[in-house]
Amino acid sequence: MSRPRLSNKAARRLFLARHLLAEPPQGPASGAALLDVIHSLGFVQLDSINTVARAHDLILFARRPRYRPAALKRLYEKDRALFEHWTHDAAIIPMEFYPQWQLRRERDAAKLFRRWKDWQRHDFEAKLHSVLEQIRTEGPVTSSDVGRDEPRSSRGWWEWHPSKTALEYLWRSGALAVVGREGFRKRYDLTERVVPAPLHEPALAPDQTQTIDWYCDQALARLGFATPGELAAFWAHITPAEARGWCLAEHAAGRLEEIDIEGADGGLRPAFARPDWATDPAQHCEPPNRLRVLSPFDPALRDRKRAARLFGFDYRIEVFVPAAQRKFGYYVFPLLQGDRLVGRIDMKAFRDADELHVTALWPEGGVRWGKLRHQALEAELQRLLPLAGVSQVSFADGWLRAAV
């Protein structure tokens, strides 16, 4: 018996709507309105690279162009409406989700203790106690405030000094919370001084079954349709086997339907969706034709395989690729227009020269880069200037390259 089928165009539109990219990029971008955006996305990934703007800032700007970084800092550090922890990477997350991270904190506590307790050949448990006592007495600290008598290295995370390791363990396992950043260095405090009660009480957190149900249900709500592997990867807290068990139980209960999703190449891939998928109005709504620059870490693109299937967009960030081996560039931004990814652009803000410099742009195959599309690009780059901290745009000779 054949499965119901969701066309590629409808799948792209439904997926973009879930990520707030099918609506016009407008509206308020601070306070409760900004928190609503983050809540809808589930989380926003943090990243330190600032070629044009940091990833979290560009993610929010792409949906609300009135956004400025100070609004996020206020929500996070002053209003305590967000907390920082891990999904697939470091992220800021609505504070109301904090209890759902208890399973992740417990799993991290067990995994990291085994990994780190003998790593630097010191009394790890004693270091945990001394760091906690220092914070209890002195208040919030950064890694430079602890272990001042310990040897330091700047060669990477694997060269953490023992007290920095203790800070990270205490944060990942729940005793500490991050209360903000100085530059991009985390500042830690006791969780009970940061997270409202009863959100931080382990005894009041959901159990494992309830947590897995929440992870899968909330991931599916933000993906529209998904395989068990995609559900597990969304929050990166559970295994594909746990997500598959949830899908099979929900399917048996009639709360999930298995459908075929058409890819950009016409191929079909089975996925699970809620039974009302066929009447979802998002699949019939055409996204605005405005061109948008997306962060390489945008939630709509984080799953590179899904982006390739739905949009035919084969993307790899090349920051860790040696320069001579890069196909495009160090930090190349995808370009979204309507329900298509139409190209990728290599650009950087040179703040000492007060300009946003475009080195190269590669249209996607089948995309014509004519006058109207170029005007749309120039308009978007002008909108980006305040976020990038510069006032003008420049283009390198030969910037428009052959289609990918």
Side-chain angles (χ1 to χ4, degrees):
M1 181 175 172
S2 62
R3 287 183 289 262
R5 177 175 171 177
L6 184 62
S7 72
N8 180 247
K9 182 173 284 291
R12 281 186 276 129
R13 290 178 174 180
L14 194 157
F15 180 61
L16 289 173
R18 292 296 195 275
H19 287 82
L20 306 184
L21 291 171
E23 58 188 51
Q26 60 189 25
S30 62
L34 182 60
L35 183 58
D36 284 345
V37 171
I38 299 170
H39 190 284
S40 295
L41 297 176
F43 62 90
V44 173
Q45 181 175 340
L46 294 168
D47 192 72
S48 62
I49 298 175
N50 192 13
T51 55
V52 173
R54 299 195 193 279
H56 42 284
D57 294 324
L58 191 54
I59 289 167
L60 296 169
F61 178 87
R63 291 149 177 87
R64 297 288 188 274
R66 289 162 58 182
Y67 166 80
R68 295 296 180 268
L72 182 63
K73 185 177 180 68
R74 189 178 308 113
L75 269 184
Y76 181 18
E77 298 185 11
K78 182 179 179 182
D79 300 342
R80 296 281 190 257
L82 303 166
F83 74 98
E84 182 175 337
H85 214 275
W86 282 74
T87 53
H88 64 292
D89 211 320
I92 45 172
I93 306 144
M95 184 64 79
E96 67 180 270
F97 294 173
Y98 190 85
Q100 309 297 340
W101 259 246
Q102 182 60 25
L103 179 62
R104 174 65 183 259
R105 290 188 289 270
E106 291 173 354
R107 290 181 172 182
D108 277 359
K111 176 180 69 177
L112 298 178
F113 191 83
R114 290 194 301 269
R115 182 185 300 172
W116 289 350
K117 71 182 181 68
D118 297 322
W119 171 30
Q120 293 169 325
R121 298 181 181 179
H122 65 275
D123 189 337
F124 188 55
E125 291 182 86
K127 190 63 66 177
L128 298 178
H129 290 302
S130 66
V131 167
L132 272 176
E133 186 57 34
Q134 179 179 347
I135 296 172
R136 187 173 290 111
T137 303
E138 299 179 8
V141 301
T142 69
S143 58
S144 64
D145 299 319
V146 296
R148 295 186 182 94
D149 59 342
E150 297 167 5
R152 307 297 175 104
S153 172
S154 60
R155 288 184 291 170
W157 69 265
W158 55 90
E159 296 290 352
W160 285 352
H161 58 82
S163 291
K164 164 64 174 174
T165 310
L167 277 175
E168 286 291 304
Y169 178 83
L170 291 165
W171 168 53
R172 295 278 292 271
S173 58
L176 299 181
V178 175
V179 294
R181 289 177 179 255
E182 296 177 1
F184 215 69
R185 178 179 290 167
K186 293 192 287 287
R187 193 168 69 253
Y188 308 79
D189 199 358
L190 300 178
T191 297
E192 64 260 29
R193 297 202 290 229
V194 179
V195 179
L199 294 181
H200 66 75
E201 295 292 341
L204 299 178
D207 64 23
Q208 179 170 311
T209 299
Q210 293 169 323
T211 302
I212 291 172
D213 178 74
W214 187 91
Y215 287 156
C216 292
D217 175 69
Q218 293 295 309
L220 185 59
R222 290 167 174 83
L223 294 172
F225 50 85
T227 65
E230 289 169 341
L231 292 180
F234 185 85
W235 304 105
H237 291 183
I238 61 174
T239 67
E242 288 170 329
R244 180 164 182 78
W246 180 84
C247 288
L248 294 178
E250 290 289 290
H251 185 262
R255 292 188 292 268
L256 281 186
E257 185 175 354
E258 195 168 18
I259 64 176
D260 280 331
I261 309 298
E262 181 185 22
D265 63 357
L268 299 178
R269 180 182 175 89
F272 290 99
R274 291 299 187 191
D276 61 354
W277 67 271
T279 58
D280 191 318
Q283 60 187 290
H284 306 294
C285 295
E286 185 174 355
N289 199 44
R290 177 161 153 174
L291 190 145
R292 298 188 232 200
V293 173
L294 299 184
S295 164
F297 301 111
D298 194 281
L301 296 169
R302 179 175 61 83
D303 187 334
R304 309 294 192 213
K305 292 181 180 178
R306 187 177 174 103
R309 287 197 305 272
L310 286 181
F311 299 97
F313 189 74
D314 185 11
Y315 181 80
R316 178 190 184 193
I317 192 164
E318 297 182 297
V319 294
F320 299 116
V321 177
Q325 298 175 27
R326 291 176 190 145
K327 183 176 180 180
F328 298 107
Y330 172 77
Y331 200 87
V332 173
F333 300 85
L335 299 173
L336 176 71
Q337 189 172 33
D339 60 12
R340 301 175 67 190
L341 287 159
V342 297
R344 60 196 80 198
I345 185 169
D346 182 11
M347 59 183 177
K348 182 177 180 179
F350 290 91
R351 295 174 181 93
D352 54 347
D354 193 30
E355 70 175 21
L356 177 61
H357 185 68
V358 176
T359 301
L361 185 150
W362 296 265
E364 286 297 288
V367 172
R368 180 177 175 272
W369 205 268
K371 181 178 179 181
L372 290 179
R373 188 161 274 131
H374 182 65
Q375 289 175 346
L377 172 67
E378 288 191 320
E380 176 69 353
L381 296 182
Q382 288 295 321
R383 287 187 287 267
L384 266 175
L385 292 179
L387 189 70
V390 295
S391 66
Q392 57 192 336
V393 179
S394 65
F395 291 84
D397 292 339
W399 65 272
L400 185 58
R401 307 294 176 84
V404 177

